[in-house]
Amino acid sequence: PRGTSKMLNIFQRVKDVVWGVEESLATEEEKEKETPSNESNHNDLTLTGRVTHYDKSTKTGMINHSVYFDNEAVIGGVRIKVGIEVHVCAKREHALAGWKATKVVATNQWKPSETTNSRNIIGYVTEEGRTSCIALCGEEEVVFRRDAVTQGFIPRQGDWIMLKLRDEYDEVIVSNVNCLREKSVSGTVEWFSGHHGMIEGNIGFALYACENGFVPREGDVVRVTCVECNHNRMSWRAVKVSPNTQIINESSARIQLPSSMIGEVKCGVSVVGVGDFGEVEISR
């Protein structure tokens, strides 16, 4: 028994030495390999981490060795490189699937400029009121007045925005509030309930966004101006929707008849000449 006890003590010391060495060699990056636990639910994730891998040729990389991202998810025009700290929103399809980032924002955008004492930050609108709104920028809530919004943009709940903060004495001044990204595209109306609808699967719209009394129908091809937003069912919110007019050049818009038909009567119609109708705009 005494020999067994001595052997156990020797084994325990060897174990402590081995594990102690391994723990001392562990780097911060290796510790970051663990999947973060601050999940809002099983398939949604929000965290602050570091870019641990980035391939310039494919413009893809990993955050904390566990969250995949590509440049489509990067917002704010930040130059991505290994080591920078980022704020990430990610999703996965099921518990055994890998994480893929839907939003990547560099946290250095929240740092004030040394010369102007101001900073541009990115967030999304969480509440909207008659005279002011609240935006969540990382972990910071920012209240801004509607008169600080850039002319032409009306922020709605969920809209991704960029705004400028300036420290002035003991007060923070908010200005230059604008949509983060805007685009104009053509798309097909997938469904419309009479008040709200969806275009191309990820552009949501309301009836008030339709111009000049236009009421879309399912299957209509429309022209859309939209801003990026943070919603479960859509990634873009339409601010303008109008029918997409088409220029018809190859069918009935420009009719070319052979000259031999001039003077003939076809189906009760007398052909008296060949005309050019030019370009005709049609819409549904």
Side-chain angles (χ1 to χ4, degrees):
R2 291 182 178 178
T4 303
S5 177
K6 288 181 179 179
M7 289 296 294
L8 288 174
N9 289 336
I10 293 172
F11 176 77
Q12 183 64 45
R13 290 178 183 178
V14 172
K15 180 182 176 182
D16 291 342
V17 170
V18 171
W19 284 104
V21 171
E22 288 185 356
E23 288 178 1
S24 65
L25 293 177
T27 64
E28 290 300 321
E29 285 189 354
E30 289 171 340
K31 292 178 181 179
E32 289 176 347
K33 286 183 181 179
E34 300 176 0
T35 301
S37 59
N38 53 335
E39 303 174 48
S40 57
N41 60 51
H42 293 301
N43 296 320
D44 291 307
L45 178 68
T46 301
L47 76 150
T48 299
R50 292 189 180 276
V51 176
T52 51
H53 174 75
Y54 185 67
D55 188 332
K56 293 182 179 180
S57 61
T58 61
K59 296 184 179 179
T60 60
M62 299 293 290
I63 298 164
N64 287 6
H65 299 284
S66 59
V67 181
Y68 169 85
F69 74 95
D70 57 30
N71 263 25
E72 290 293 324
V74 179
I75 56 180
V78 178
R79 185 178 180 181
I80 297 296
K81 60 181 180 179
V82 173
I84 68 170
E85 188 178 65
V86 291
H87 185 72
V88 185
C89 297
K91 288 183 177 290
R92 64 181 179 183
E93 294 182 358
H94 51 79
L96 299 179
W99 293 103
K100 181 178 180 181
T102 56
K103 304 288 179 187
V104 178
V105 183
T107 57
N108 61 8
Q109 293 181 90
W110 280 273
K111 295 180 181 179
S113 167
E114 296 181 357
T115 55
T116 63
N117 206 30
S118 64
R119 49 187 172 139
N120 291 321
I121 64 174
I122 295 169
Y124 62 91
V125 179
T126 56
E127 296 182 35
E128 53 176 306
R130 187 172 59 86
T131 59
S132 62
C133 299
I134 299 176
L136 182 62
C137 305
E139 298 179 355
E140 180 180 1
E141 277 196 340
V142 177
V143 180
F144 62 90
R145 293 182 57 84
R146 289 192 176 273
D147 56 16
V149 178
T150 303
Q151 187 175 4
F153 174 57
I154 302 176
R156 300 290 186 186
Q157 186 171 348
D159 286 357
W160 281 98
I161 59 173
M162 178 178 284
L163 48 86
K164 178 179 285 187
L165 298 183
R166 186 178 75 257
D167 296 326
E168 193 170 292
Y169 301 105
D170 294 330
E171 186 179 5
V172 177
I173 307 298
V174 183
S175 62
N176 296 359
V177 181
N178 203 354
C179 61
L180 180 61
R181 288 195 288 194
E182 180 182 273
K183 66 178 182 179
S184 295
V185 297
S186 293
T188 303
V189 177
E190 294 189 349
W191 59 267
F192 181 61
S193 67
H195 297 283
H196 298 87
M198 187 68 66
I199 301 167
E200 296 295 331
N202 67 346
I203 304 175
F205 71 96
L207 183 60
Y208 65 75
C210 300
E211 296 185 311
N212 302 322
F214 172 58
V215 179
R217 298 174 298 173
E218 183 177 331
D220 281 355
V221 179
V222 293
R223 187 71 179 168
V224 189
T225 300
C226 50
V227 296
E228 192 172 17
C229 63
N230 182 29
H231 284 287
N232 291 331
R233 297 184 179 180
M234 62 186 187
S235 301
W236 299 85
R237 177 180 69 85
V239 295
K240 294 180 182 179
V241 180
S242 60
N244 188 20
T245 57
Q246 297 176 327
I247 306 299
I248 308 299
N249 294 317
E250 299 178 357
S251 57
S252 59
R254 182 167 295 176
I255 304 174
Q256 300 291 340
L257 298 177
S259 58
S260 61
M261 293 184 62
I262 297 176
E264 295 185 6
V265 177
K266 298 289 185 180
C267 300
V269 177
S270 177
V271 180
V272 296
V274 177
D276 186 354
F277 289 90
E279 296 181 343
V280 179
E281 291 189 359
I282 66 171
S283 62
R284 290 180 63 96

